[in-house]
Amino acid sequence: MHRSIATVSLSGTLPEKLEAIAAAGFDGVEIFENDLLYYGASPREVRKLAADLGLAITLFQPFRDFEGCRRDRLQRNLDRAERKFDLMQELGTDLVLVCSNVAGDSLGDRQILVDDLRLLAERAGARNLRIGYEALAWGRHVNTWQQVWEIVREGDHPSLGMILDSFHTLSLKGDPRAIAEVPGEKIFFVQMADAPLLAMDVLEWSRHFRCFPGQGEFDLPGFLAPILKSGYRGPLSLEIFNDGFRAAPTRGNALDGYRSLLYLEEKTRLLLEQQGQPVEPGVLFAPPPASRYDGIEFLEFAVDDTHAARLSHWLTQLGFAEAGRHRSKNVSLLRQGDINLVLNAEPYSFAHSYFEAHGPSLCATALRVRDGHQALERACGFGGQPYRGLVGPNEREIPAVRAPDSSLIYLVDRDAEGHSIYETDFELKGTADGGVLQRIDHVAMALPAEAMDSWVLFYKSLFDFAADDEVVLPDPYGLVKSRAVRSRCGSVRLPLNISENRNTAISRSLSTYRGSGVHHIAFVCDDIFAAVERAKEAGVPLLEIPLNYYDDLAARFDFDDDFLSKLAYFNILYDRDAQGGELFHVYTEPFAERFFFEILQRKDYAGYGAANVAVRLAAMAQARSGHSKPRL
């Protein structure tokens, strides 16, 4: 299918938008009228600019308040339409979007609406142009696709067809299934937009909160599938009204838009196959299937020698042991249970460049996958940027792709060559594992507020992760919004966190990192008390939790005093979900004011302890300010 996007979806001037749209990979573009009006070049010059970039102008839009207008305005509207037809022919497009009338004095008589649109189609047809009629969800008399189809069918003119927009149907909880019965040739154009589910005026919702497919909560494959069943094979386009998008970097946002269409096509193709009605090859994007995951293979920290020594000491206190040194580089491996942590202080390396830009930080995450090269092929198909570093003698080359913050995501086939990557790259020690931490539970990221949707789309498309619902959490200095992405098997879990308030812990983390960064890493154990006792005895600096918190636990849960005292002594937080699942967890103080560690024990508990985030953030704020009171 031809992939298109409306210029209103992006920031910038019209040339900037067109250049970004072409660079992202789109075939076509909808020219939004205001973008043309505010640009100094003629429509013919815009046509040439688009053509030079390899873009077809798929649609001109919008033409408003035509059908059912007051009868004394009809001729004026027809004259207005003829001027727009002149403009369209100079632009080189044959299709105009006519949206349903919203004027309070418009007429709703069905025959008048049909006659007006037939008359407009006759005028357009005489010039080899077409009229695409679209229902606005807030239209005065026409606001559903079914009404549009009835009018188009009764108008019975070859130059009159439907334009379908997912937002206008799904925002009203409309049912798109019967679109499959509409003749495909009468659907002239399809626009897609996702959105979060909000309880608000539909016009305000549409104008400010649309987003790309995969970033919201609409069932877009369920909308597109019946359209394809109808036989429609025309352009698939994005029309996104979003305040944040109007300020976002033009090229990056265009790339997200293109990626979102590929994601939608894949999900729609899979849905049609499940329904026993696959479309012909080449119509919808068909990347390699997503890999099966088996957790996080390793985390790599960018450090210098000083921070490597300090972080290694911290990790040793947490029960990690140095398991090996790299054969040719200044890189060490620490292990405990199924956890592998790599400390990279090698000069003139990717890690060194990352350290120079962000300080001590997590520069790479390695995912265990079934087939690393297939996983990389899929990621690149969705616009992921592959990475190939310098490979030394006898080192294994690991497929990798850059994350949105330019850190690396390695795709590791476990023991793909009969031995592990550590056996290949490291001189391993025979250190026995006496630790109690078992595996990495989750890795939490701090992101700029405007970056959340882009990161969610990145993981959903490249790796077929699922995204949990957004939760809002209180910080002493504002609010934090969190949305976790996870592999469908649950072995990889990545909470993504943003804040629009500048003094919250998330905002401070962004300032420290000079961009996105990992702010905490959680390890799983089977016995939280044994793990924390060991850490406490080893001198791990644990976050002090106020005793008032445990008084509240006593009021909420049926714990005896001895158990509560034990929780308080070890600074262990507790939560219980509606199904009776339990979570015990404890936090360290931050390392180098950048990231901290969490030790947790789950008992049939799936969440992240959202109920305890407020007390954790408050305790961290008190520790920073020096107002924490010593335990007596």
Side-chain angles (χ1 to χ4, degrees):
M1 301 185 74
H2 292 290
R3 302 180 184 110
S4 174
I5 186 171
T7 54
V8 74
S9 307
L10 304 174
S11 66
T13 64
L14 184 55
E16 290 172 336
K17 295 182 182 191
L18 294 177
E19 289 165 5
I21 289 166
F26 288 96
D27 309 300
V29 57
E30 301 177 38
I31 299 293
F32 194 74
E33 185 174 46
N34 286 354
D35 284 306
L36 185 63
L37 294 179
Y38 303 156
Y39 181 53
S42 70
R44 191 173 297 275
E45 289 170 322
V46 171
R47 174 182 182 172
K48 183 179 186 305
L49 175 59
D52 289 345
L53 292 168
L55 294 172
I57 297 179
T58 52
L59 177 74
F60 177 70
Q61 64 129 324
F63 190 65
R64 304 180 188 274
D65 297 336
F66 174 77
E67 85 293 3
C69 66
R70 275 176 24 192
R71 297 298 85 186
D72 59 336
R73 296 178 182 165
L74 180 58
Q75 187 56 51
R76 187 191 316 164
N77 276 341
L78 288 170
D79 294 340
R80 180 165 61 97
E82 292 288 355
R83 289 195 293 273
K84 298 303 179 186
F85 293 161
D86 293 338
L87 184 152
M88 289 168 60
Q89 290 182 317
E90 289 207 22
L91 278 176
T93 185
D94 72 336
L95 181 61
V96 62
L97 183 152
V98 177
C99 49
S100 58
N101 203 322
V102 299
D105 60 355
S106 62
L107 307 174
D109 182 271
R110 169 67 63 80
Q111 195 56 52
I112 290 177
L113 302 180
V114 170
D115 290 345
D116 283 358
L117 286 166
R118 184 189 294 120
L119 179 59
L120 188 63
E122 288 173 354
R123 296 278 190 109
R127 302 175 64 163
N128 295 317
L129 303 176
R130 297 180 298 154
I131 303 299
Y133 185 42
E134 175 189 74
L136 296 178
W138 53 93
R140 181 73 174 87
H141 303 290
V142 175
N143 64 357
T144 70
W145 72 263
Q146 291 94 335
Q147 291 172 300
V148 165
W149 170 231
E150 290 170 2
I151 292 170
V152 167
R153 183 179 57 198
E154 292 177 29
D156 191 24
H157 194 283
S159 293
L160 178 63
M162 304 172 66
I163 291 181
L164 296 170
D165 184 311
S166 60
F167 183 88
H168 294 305
T169 294
L170 300 180
S171 63
L172 298 181
K173 300 181 179 180
D175 186 349
R177 288 175 294 179
I179 295 174
E181 301 169 12
V182 175
E185 65 271 14
K186 296 306 292 182
I187 301 174
F188 283 0
F189 204 77
V190 173
Q191 296 173 320
M192 305 300 301
D194 209 340
L197 298 181
L198 301 172
M200 64 185 305
D201 175 75
V202 69
L203 176 57
E204 291 300 305
W205 187 12
S206 174
R207 285 290 177 257
H208 302 285
F209 296 100
R210 294 193 189 199
C211 54
F212 290 135
Q215 294 179 333
E217 298 173 83
F218 284 167
D219 177 14
L220 295 186
F223 179 82
L224 182 56
I227 293 173
L228 295 175
K229 290 178 185 178
S230 77
Y232 176 79
R233 296 296 183 268
L236 187 61
S237 193
L238 298 168
E239 185 193 40
I240 313 296
F241 298 91
N242 182 293
D243 295 343
F245 286 14
R246 292 187 180 99
T250 312
R251 288 213 168 204
N253 212 30
L255 285 169
D256 276 352
Y258 189 75
R259 178 176 288 159
S260 77
L261 276 184
L262 298 181
Y263 176 77
L264 172 61
E265 289 182 31
E266 181 194 28
K267 292 303 180 185
T268 305
R269 179 179 56 80
L270 294 174
L271 175 61
L272 288 167
E273 289 173 354
Q274 291 169 6
Q275 295 174 348
Q277 295 183 325
V279 297
E280 56 270 29
V283 172
L284 296 176
F285 183 56
S291 179
R292 292 180 62 182
Y293 300 94
D294 186 24
I296 293 176
E297 177 62 46
F298 66 80
L299 299 176
E300 180 177 348
F301 294 88
V303 290
D304 60 8
D305 286 334
T306 300
H307 286 96
R310 288 182 57 200
L311 183 54
S312 180
H313 177 68
W314 265 57
L315 294 171
T316 302
Q317 289 178 306
L318 281 169
F320 288 85
E322 184 173 276
R325 299 286 302 182
H326 197 279
R327 296 183 187 278
S328 60
K329 299 176 181 177
N330 187 11
V331 179
S332 59
L333 169 66
L334 289 91
R335 276 180 165 167
Q336 184 173 182
D338 198 28
I339 308 166
N340 298 290
L341 304 180
V342 174
L343 276 54
N344 191 333
E346 175 69 9
Y348 311 112
S349 64
F350 170 82
H352 178 75
S353 298
Y354 205 85
F355 177 84
E356 289 292 310
H358 303 288
S361 52
L362 191 76
C363 64
T365 301
L367 306 180
R368 293 190 192 115
V369 298
R370 172 170 288 184
D371 184 330
H373 291 285
Q374 179 177 303
L376 180 63
E377 182 184 352
R378 176 187 172 85
C380 292
F382 277 103
Q385 182 181 352
Y387 171 81
R388 185 173 182 177
L390 296 175
V391 180
N394 302 317
E395 286 186 329
R396 183 189 299 183
E397 183 175 354
I398 306 174
V401 65
R402 288 186 182 270
D405 64 348
S406 294
S407 64
L408 300 182
I409 300 174
Y410 287 106
L411 304 164
V412 180
D413 306 342
R414 199 167 203 189
D415 303 333
E417 299 178 6
H419 50 271
S420 74
I421 55 174
Y422 311 107
E423 292 171 306
T424 302
D425 293 359
F426 289 83
E427 294 179 355
L428 296 176
K429 301 177 181 179
T431 306
D433 181 16
V436 295
L437 305 182
Q438 298 171 327
R439 65 184 182 279
I440 296 168
D441 184 84
H442 61 269
V443 178
M445 294 285 302
L447 309 178
E450 68 277 5
M452 173 71 87
D453 286 346
S454 183
W455 279 75
V456 168
L457 179 62
F458 175 83
Y459 278 104
K460 289 178 77 170
S461 56
L462 274 68
F463 305 111
D464 195 36
F465 279 20
D468 295 338
D469 292 339
E470 182 181 89
V471 295
V472 179
L473 307 166
D475 181 283
Y477 299 102
L479 295 175
V480 172
K481 295 179 181 179
S482 181
R483 193 175 186 194
V485 293
R486 52 182 169 77
S487 61
R488 296 187 182 272
C489 63
S491 67
V492 182
R493 299 152 62 97
L494 306 171
L496 308 176
N497 302 287
I498 63 171
S499 178
E500 296 176 353
N501 307 110
R502 63 182 181 178
N503 290 324
T504 61
I506 295 300
S507 296
R508 289 173 62 90
S509 181
L510 295 175
S511 177
T512 301
Y513 277 123
R514 299 184 292 277
S516 303
V518 167
H519 69 85
H520 93 259
I521 300 161
F523 304 122
V524 169
C525 68
D526 270 345
D527 186 339
I528 187 73
F529 294 103
V532 178
E533 183 172 24
R534 174 174 175 165
K536 195 176 179 76
E537 289 176 353
V540 174
L542 299 177
L543 184 66
E544 292 279 351
I545 303 300
L547 290 175
N548 291 336
Y549 167 80
Y550 298 98
D551 292 336
D552 182 63
L553 282 188
R556 292 165 54 207
F557 301 108
D558 51 350
F559 295 141
D560 60 43
D561 291 343
D562 288 344
F563 188 72
L564 280 169
S565 296
K566 193 175 182 181
L567 290 175
Y569 175 76
F570 289 114
N571 290 292
I572 294 173
L573 300 163
Y574 174 84
D575 189 34
R576 184 185 300 166
D577 63 25
Q579 291 73 41
E582 295 180 297
L583 175 70
F584 299 84
H585 56 145
V586 67
Y587 297 93
T588 71
E589 292 182 357
F591 173 80
E593 298 301 320
R594 290 169 182 272
F595 52 82
F596 54 92
F597 300 101
E598 177 183 4
I599 301 172
L600 61 83
Q601 181 182 356
R602 296 180 181 274
K603 296 183 177 180
D604 299 320
Y605 182 100
Y608 300 91
N612 293 323
V613 168
V615 69
R616 189 257 294 172
L617 290 172
M620 291 177 67
Q622 290 173 12
R624 285 196 307 269
S625 66
H627 293 158
S628 294
K629 293 191 175 182
R631 295 289 189 84
L632 301 177

